[in-house]
Amino acid sequence: MASYDKQFKVLEVPPIVQELVGAGVQEPPSQYVLPEQDRPAAAVSEMPEPIPIIDLSRLSAGSAEEFDKLRSALENWDLFLAVGHGMEPSFLAEAMKATREFFNLPLEEKQKYSNIVDGEKLGMDGYGNDMVVKENQVLDWNDRLNLLVEPEALRTYRLWPTQPPSFRDILSEYTVRCKAAANLVFRNMAKILNLQEEHLVNMIGENSITQAIFNYYPQCPRPDHVLGLKAHTDGSIITVNFADAEGLQLQRNGVWYNVPIVPNALIMNVGDIMEILSNGFFKSLVHRVVTNAEKERLSLVLVYTLELETELEPVSDLVDDKRPARYMKIKLHDYMEKYHDTYATGTLAIDGVKI
């Protein structure tokens, strides 16, 4: 198995955004300010139709209507809102509470879990923010905690917070319960692709990497000048996102739309790996996060990938003379290196592997 704990050489370690806000900064530092053409527009277009809400309990029961809704959502939106996932509102509230309590800890406590190694490198896991890998890189208005959660044998528990005391148990349970929802979606995506129902679940297997990302977006004095997360796709099969406030925006046909918050719903979107595996049948979602002058935003994200040594390429059953392979073969760990570089430059890794 390829090593997960790769370290990235960085040019600088950016400040903690939460600390900038706490110090009363009135203008975002220049390294966070976007070029004018990239700034979030004040007016985002209204949805031409609502984003589909999929009831996973009905999907699990074999509802043809829910299956058709899922197919339509994935073909037209590249994401959907998932309800009926089996997680009680009280449990989701506890997960969000534990997330908030971690980010509300004193800085010196959070820095016990820092992703900075030897003062000049960033590890994959830990607390911090952007990897600065190029001069004049525009930074995100965001602090985060990254933790590998699957496979369990690769967890780096020294970077798992012990405060609040419930954090580790809640994350472990959240991981298990989200995996059940994700596997249900994988089975139905396989059916949409006319593959054996277990094809994707078996491909993912027990050694595939799942990463949890806790995002904290503090209030921003100039939300029209910065982004919480720059426009990107996810380097995932699918991504499962639970957020406490609006801010996520998706791009469709070059237009930006707000993704609504539905109480206790998970947002599930297609990532680059699924686009490649499906030979372009499913498309990776281009999205970003905008900031807010009045309130903070928190999100808990699970990113599902494959084993790092996997040869990433379209599933052979989805390639034929009429639809030849649209993506070149590449090892996943090589793809993820490209992904981190392109994220920093504001470009898309998926574009670099298209044939």
Side-chain angles (χ1 to χ4, degrees):
M1 187 187 299
S3 174
Y4 169 79
D5 57 355
K6 179 177 174 60
Q7 295 170 2
F8 295 84
K9 179 83 172 177
V10 294
L11 298 180
E12 64 175 287
V13 177
I16 297 296
V17 180
Q18 189 176 4
E19 295 301 300
L20 292 175
V21 174
V25 66
Q26 295 299 305
E27 289 285 335
S30 59
Q31 69 225 84
Y32 294 90
V33 177
L34 293 155
E36 200 155 335
Q37 70 273 13
D38 296 334
R39 292 177 186 175
V44 174
S45 297
E46 292 221 3
M47 291 276 188
E49 58 194 283
I51 292 176
I53 299 175
I54 307 298
D55 187 333
L56 298 187
S57 65
R58 295 191 69 212
L59 196 63
S60 179
S63 165
E65 179 187 6
E66 217 65 23
F67 178 76
D68 288 343
K69 279 174 62 180
L70 177 68
R71 180 201 296 270
S72 175
L74 292 171
E75 289 179 358
N76 295 304
W77 287 102
D78 312 319
L79 91 166
F80 59 93
L81 304 174
V83 298
H85 43 63
M87 284 184 274
E88 304 83 2
S90 58
F91 174 70
L92 291 173
E94 282 297 311
M96 193 57 71
K97 180 171 178 273
T99 303
R100 180 173 287 102
E101 287 179 358
F102 170 76
F103 284 107
N104 284 341
L105 291 171
L107 180 61
E108 58 269 24
E109 179 68 25
K110 288 180 289 194
Q111 286 187 327
K112 293 178 182 176
Y113 312 104
S114 175
N115 59 2
I116 301 168
V117 182
D118 299 330
E120 59 179 16
K121 297 176 187 172
L122 292 192
M124 293 291 291
D125 273 11
Y127 168 71
N129 44 34
D130 281 348
M131 293 188 296
V132 182
V133 296
K134 72 181 189 86
E135 299 286 351
N136 303 316
Q137 179 180 327
V138 179
L139 304 181
D140 294 333
W141 195 259
N142 161 286
D143 299 323
R144 46 193 172 260
L145 172 67
N146 287 7
L147 295 172
L148 178 145
V149 293
E150 293 174 326
E152 194 171 333
L154 292 185
R155 291 178 179 178
T156 306
Y157 281 113
R158 65 181 174 79
L159 293 174
W160 283 50
T162 55
Q163 296 295 327
S166 61
F167 187 96
R168 292 184 173 194
D169 287 344
I170 287 174
L171 178 54
S172 293
E173 184 176 350
Y174 187 79
T175 300
V176 169
R177 298 179 75 171
C178 270
K179 186 61 171 287
N183 281 343
L184 173 65
V185 173
F186 293 144
R187 292 186 179 100
N188 282 276
M189 292 176 97
K191 287 164 65 177
I192 292 170
L193 294 169
N194 294 315
L195 299 172
Q196 290 287 333
E197 187 173 323
E198 297 295 321
H199 188 104
L200 295 174
V201 172
N202 290 339
M203 177 181 287
I204 294 161
E206 294 183 359
N207 290 321
S208 292
I209 300 292
T210 305
Q211 190 170 29
I213 307 173
F214 299 83
N215 293 291
Y216 179 71
Y217 304 93
Q219 302 97 317
C220 180
R222 294 299 300 272
D224 55 331
H225 279 46
V226 308
L227 283 169
L229 280 181
K230 61 180 68 69
H232 67 289
T233 57
D234 292 337
S236 66
I237 308 171
I238 63 168
T239 302
V240 179
N241 185 347
F242 179 58
D244 70 343
E246 289 189 357
L248 179 65
Q249 296 181 341
L250 65 85
Q251 190 180 60
R252 189 186 192 199
N253 301 322
V255 179
W256 289 103
Y257 300 98
N258 287 317
V259 177
I261 289 291
V262 172
N264 304 307
L266 305 174
I267 303 165
M268 304 182 82
N269 68 268
V270 176
D272 292 0
I273 296 175
M274 180 58 81
E275 179 171 334
I276 295 168
L277 293 177
S278 71
N279 202 22
F281 184 89
F282 298 125
K283 292 291 192 292
S284 191
L285 179 74
V286 179
H287 56 290
R288 68 186 185 185
V289 175
V290 295
T291 59
N292 190 294
E294 276 77 48
K295 61 181 180 179
E296 64 188 17
R297 179 180 184 270
L298 290 162
S299 68
L300 170 50
V301 177
L302 288 187
V303 178
Y304 291 90
T305 68
L306 296 169
E307 190 174 350
L308 291 177
E309 285 291 343
T310 303
E311 290 277 11
L312 186 56
E313 62 182 326
V315 173
S316 58
D317 290 356
L318 303 178
V319 177
D320 55 33
D321 292 340
K322 291 182 180 177
R323 193 179 179 90
R326 299 183 174 189
Y327 306 85
M328 63 182 70
K329 182 188 295 190
I330 184 171
K331 280 207 170 178
L332 181 59
H333 62 77
D334 293 330
Y335 184 79
M336 294 314 296
E337 285 204 25
K338 290 178 183 291
Y339 179 86
H340 289 296
D341 286 343
T342 56
Y343 181 82
T345 59
T347 55
L348 302 180
I350 191 75
D351 290 340
V353 297
K354 291 177 179 175
I355 297 173

